[in-house]
Structures are given as structure tokens and as C-alpha cells.
Amino acid sequence: MDRRLIAVTTAALLSLTACGEGTPAPEEVAAAGSLECAPPPALPSGVTTYSQQDLPDPVSVEPATVRATIATNCGDLVLELDAAQAPQTVASFLFLGEEGYWDDSPCHRLTTAGIFVLQCGDPTGDGRGSPGYGYGIENAPVDGHFPPGTLAMARTNDPFSNGGQFFIVYEDTQLPTDGGGYSIFGKVTSGMEIVEGIAAAGVDGGRQDGSPAQPISILSVTVKE
């Protein structure tokens, strides 16, 4: 199933604002130019998939938060994962990180109008990939508001299709609540300037939704004890 759009694949549930493409503002170019990114790695030669039986049990709510780091070719993103509010999502994130599921996988989607997110977590790079298991929604905001720095799960229109794809919000974003909304499972506590720089560089081809013009890939995910 196509997972290129956050959580849904129909324009009726998630539409982007139509506006001119234009050229980046000077400050946006400067922000993008401040990034120091190594060349992205090649896509993994093979992607491990799992069965529903491999879905890990929810993590303990103690400690209430867990720290993790996503190493990328543009620098590190330090995360605070909310185990108390999203125990199943955090358990899956830690499992896939420890398994190396995301190693060398690109962040395949950037949106710059209507919603403002960088979407990652598909080792195939085409937005359709899944670890092979799914689970339900946790900790979705009832008002659909996602502030900058939010770490949340992407899914299809099936509320039990949370799996491996996630997104980072870089500007205030409003998402539909129909179907249960989208699971918030943490926040970025360090490295948001990297995501902002990727956003400032824009979308490949000058579009509003697609592959980032400045490629960014996950190299590894580690848990901070």
C-alpha cells in the first residue's frame, strides 16, 4: 500500500495548499547552505521484514521517557521518546532501531505547503515500505495540532497501519483527526536546525511535496542509556 502521504493516500483526507512554487527567499537559501551533509549512502541491498508476531510488547512506562539518537549524513537528531503516552510506538521504534531496520535509509518525503514535515522510515525509499507488522494509534492530539519538533507516526487510512514510517514537524502543522489522527511518540530535543535546513533547501524539482532537494538519510538509531 502506498504510504507516500502521511497516514492517508486520498486528497479528501489530506490536501496541500495550492500556491505558486516561486524561488526560495534569501534567508532560506542561507539556512540551507549552512548544512554540512555527507553524500547519502546507497539504499540497503535488502530490507528485513517481520511478521505480526514480531511486534514487541509495549515498553514499561518507567522511565517515562527514553532518549535516542538518529545519526544522519547531515548530523545527529537527539530524541526524547514518550514511553508513558505511547508505549507500543516507542517499543516498536526501539526494536527497529536496534535491529538496524533503518540503517542507510533515506528520508523520502518533504512537504513545504499546507503541512510542514520531513517523513522518514522507509528503507526502500519509495514511501511504500513497511516492517511487515502494524499496530494502533496512541497519543493522537484531539485538535490535530502538531507543533515544531514533534515526532509522530505516519500511516495509511487504516488506523492499525502504524509501522516503520514516521515524520518530524518543522513548522506548526494541522492534520486531520478523522480516523483517529496520528500518534505522537516523542520530540526532537537537539538537531532541529538540521530538519529546518533540509526544509529551507526545498523539494527536488521545486515542488511542494516530494523528495528533499538536499538528501538526508538515517545512518543508524541508538538508544541513550
Side-chain angles (χ1 to χ4, degrees), residues 14 22 24 56 59-60 63 67 71 78 110 122 143 147 160 172 215-216 219 222:
L14 181 57
V59 297
S60 170
R67 294 187 69 198
V78 180
L110 176 70
D122 175 15
D143 61 357
F160 291 93
D172 271 323
I216 179 171
L219 304 180
T222 57

Side-chain angles (χ1 to χ4, degrees), residues 12-217:
L13 291 180
L14 181 57
S15 60
L16 298 178
T17 302
C19 60
E21 292 172 355
T23 57
E27 63 271 17
E28 292 178 332
V29 174
S34 66
L35 281 177
E36 295 183 2
C37 298
L43 287 174
S45 57
V47 178
T48 302
T49 57
Y50 306 89
S51 69
Q52 194 63 35
Q53 287 69 39
D54 293 316
L55 177 66
D57 293 332
V59 297
S60 170
V61 295
E62 294 294 340
T65 58
V66 178
R67 294 187 69 198
T69 299
I70 299 176
T72 81
N73 62 305
C74 297
D76 289 352
L77 305 176
V78 180
L79 314 177
E80 185 177 280
L81 308 179
D82 193 344
Q85 297 298 319
Q88 182 63 80
T89 308
V90 171
S92 175
F93 187 89
L94 297 179
F95 169 73
L96 294 176
E98 290 166 357
E99 287 282 300
Y101 173 77
W102 292 307
D103 290 4
D104 297 339
S105 65
C107 292
H108 60 277
R109 183 192 183 210
L110 176 70
T111 60
T112 61
I115 59 175
F116 306 95
V117 305
L118 177 66
Q119 188 168 331
C120 312
D122 175 15
T124 71
D126 66 7
R128 296 175 172 85
S130 163
Y133 61 67
Y135 55 91
I137 299 166
E138 296 179 305
N139 196 39
V142 294
D143 61 357
H145 177 234
F146 292 73
T150 298
L151 186 64
M153 292 303 297
R155 61 176 178 83
T156 68
N157 56 359
D158 177 356
F160 291 93
S161 62
N162 290 287
Q165 294 192 39
F166 59 92
F167 60 93
I168 300 168
V169 181
Y170 64 89
E171 286 186 23
D172 271 323
T173 291
Q174 195 74 27
L175 293 175
T177 57
D178 296 346
Y182 310 97
S183 303
I184 292 177
F185 67 101
K187 60 185 178 182
V188 177
T189 59
S190 178
M192 273 303 296
E193 69 278 2
I194 295 171
V195 181
E196 291 162 357
I198 297 296
V203 178
D204 191 31
R207 296 169 293 167
Q208 299 170 345
D209 185 348
S211 300
Q214 168 56 63
I216 179 171
S217 291

